[in-house]
């Protein structure tokens, strides 16, 4: 495992209650960072599976502390600018700085574009795209004010590189995250801020499990029939959260100091075809 050094740094992780966000929080702590762990801690009306809870947030914090680092938990809805701004201020009050923004929060649900209710579209866009912008806006302001650089890493998706039936709203958000990443990379370069995105394939998380339970394996197979298998490796259907965390660690580190504006596929070859 690469020996990244985040000692003295603070990582602000959204969607940190479980899944990929929890893994990112643990990895940052393992490499020496204190971690602000945020999550909505309640459900979104049009999403068919349960989201994380306050107890999930507390468990992630305990895992960070088990790595010998400090943790701050904040219940925050990335769709609400006032909550994002307040969470960033709370983090700064607690730690005095933020060095890394891990823009991970997101949801995943399905409907055909011609049948999707407007509310389902809006809640997806607000969570997966507007939320990424709002967090980048307010942490980015801190980076500009502080004047000594920073890192923003956002979760796009392999679906940000291809189309997927029955998930056009999700696909639109993930394509949007890549466009936002490229633009922020240009705008923040003069402040020595690197801005990148990671594009995972299917990952073993509660999100995918909840989606499969809500819609059934047939829906998953239909999506795969059009967008291709989630992995080209024999015996590998999906990958693990840790695989995505390793990409986050590299993009957050000095090893990637001249990497900015990219969308890095960690997709087991899904988009190679």
């Amino acid at each position: 495992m690469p020996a990244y050094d985040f000692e003295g740094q603070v990582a602000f992780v959204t969607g940190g209650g479980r899944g990929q966000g929890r893994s990112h929080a643990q990895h940052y702590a393992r490499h020496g960072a204190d971690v602000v762990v945020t999550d909505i801690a309640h459900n979104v009306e049009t999403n068919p599976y349960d989201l994380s809870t306050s107890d999930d947030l507390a468990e992630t914090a305990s895992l960070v502390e088990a790595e010998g680092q400090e943790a701050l938990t904040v219940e925050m809805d990335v769709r609400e600018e006032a909550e994002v701004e307040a969470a960033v201020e709370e983090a700064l009050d607690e730690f005095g700085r933020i060095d890394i923004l891990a823009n991970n929060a997101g949801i995943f649900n399905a409907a055909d574009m011609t049948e999707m209710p407007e509310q389902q579209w809006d809640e997806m866009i607000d969570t997966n795209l507007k939320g990424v912008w709002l967090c980048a806006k307010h942490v980015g302001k801190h980076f500009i004010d502080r004047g000594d650089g920073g890192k923003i890493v956002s979760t796009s998706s392999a679906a940000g590189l291809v189309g997927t039936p029955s998930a056009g709203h999700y696909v639109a958000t993930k394509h949007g995250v890549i466009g936002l990443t490229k633009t922020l990379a240009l705008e923040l370069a003069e402040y020595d801020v690197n801005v990148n995105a990671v594009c995972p394939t299917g990952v073993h998380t509660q999100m995918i499990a909840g989606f499969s339970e809500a819609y059934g394996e047939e829906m998953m197979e239909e999506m795969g029939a059009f967008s291709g298998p989630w992995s080209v490796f024999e015996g590998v259907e999906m990958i693990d959260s840790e695989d995505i965390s390793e990409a986050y660690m590299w993009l957050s580190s000095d090893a990637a100091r001249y990497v900015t504006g990219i969308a890095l596929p960690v997709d087991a070859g899904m988009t190679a075809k």
Side-chain angles (χ1 to χ4, degrees):
M1 180 184 296
Y4 300 118
D5 182 8
F6 299 128
E7 185 176 354
Q9 297 189 35
V10 177
F12 187 104
V13 181
T14 71
R18 62 188 193 188
Q20 292 180 49
R22 171 176 288 176
S23 177
H24 301 343
Q26 285 180 275
H27 277 69
Y28 283 122
R30 193 167 298 152
H31 295 293
D34 296 324
V35 186
V36 183
V37 187
T38 77
D39 214 314
I40 190 171
H42 63 77
N43 289 336
V44 172
E45 187 173 345
T46 59
N47 209 56
Y49 56 86
D50 288 336
L51 301 181
S52 65
T53 65
S54 300
D55 289 342
D56 291 325
L57 265 178
E59 184 175 348
T60 301
S62 70
L63 293 169
V64 168
E65 290 164 352
E67 298 288 349
Q69 299 303 128
E70 293 185 39
L72 171 68
T73 60
V74 183
E75 294 186 14
M76 177 192 80
D77 186 341
V78 295
R79 300 172 298 175
E80 300 294 336
E81 183 164 19
E83 293 190 26
V84 172
E85 185 173 16
V88 170
E89 289 301 318
E90 185 174 350
L92 295 176
D93 287 344
E94 179 73 16
F95 294 116
R97 62 188 294 128
I98 298 169
D99 300 276
I100 301 161
L101 168 60
N103 245 333
N104 165 79
I107 58 175
F108 181 39
N109 52 59
D112 290 347
M113 290 290 88
T114 55
E115 299 175 1
M116 181 179 295
E118 184 178 7
Q119 183 182 355
Q120 186 175 358
W121 170 273
D122 287 345
E123 290 186 345
M124 177 66 69
I125 300 296
D126 284 354
T127 302
N128 288 15
L129 182 55
K130 178 184 173 183
V132 170
W133 164 62
L134 286 175
C135 293
K137 173 182 177 179
H138 288 282
V139 176
K141 285 182 176 181
H142 167 62
F143 289 160
I144 291 170
D145 291 343
R146 201 180 70 216
D148 61 351
K151 307 283 188 181
I152 298 174
V153 187
S154 301
T155 300
S156 177
S157 170
L161 303 169
V162 298
T164 302
S166 301
H169 57 335
Y170 181 81
V171 169
T173 65
K174 296 306 185 178
H175 277 71
V177 166
I178 293 174
L180 178 62
T181 293
K182 290 178 179 294
T183 301
L184 285 168
L186 297 175
E187 292 184 355
L188 296 177
E190 67 178 290
Y191 305 103
D192 198 24
V193 177
N194 299 70
V195 188
N196 293 291
V198 178
C199 298
T201 184
V203 182
H204 290 291
T205 61
Q206 294 93 329
M207 184 178 83
I208 292 294
F211 182 95
S212 297
E213 184 177 350
Y215 296 103
E217 290 299 323
E218 186 176 339
M219 173 71 79
M220 301 291 284
E221 291 171 5
E222 178 187 345
M223 289 179 169
F226 282 90
S227 59
W230 288 3
S231 169
V232 299
F233 293 107
E234 181 113 16
V236 178
E237 293 185 3
M238 288 189 288
I239 63 178
D240 297 320
S241 294
E242 291 77 7
D243 298 307
I244 311 306
S245 294
E246 288 300 330
Y248 259 78
M249 296 306 105
W250 178 64
L251 290 171
S252 301
S253 75
D254 288 341
R257 64 190 181 277
Y258 297 127
V259 179
T260 197
I262 72 162
L264 176 65
V266 184
D267 67 353
M270 175 183 170
T271 61
K273 295 183 178 181

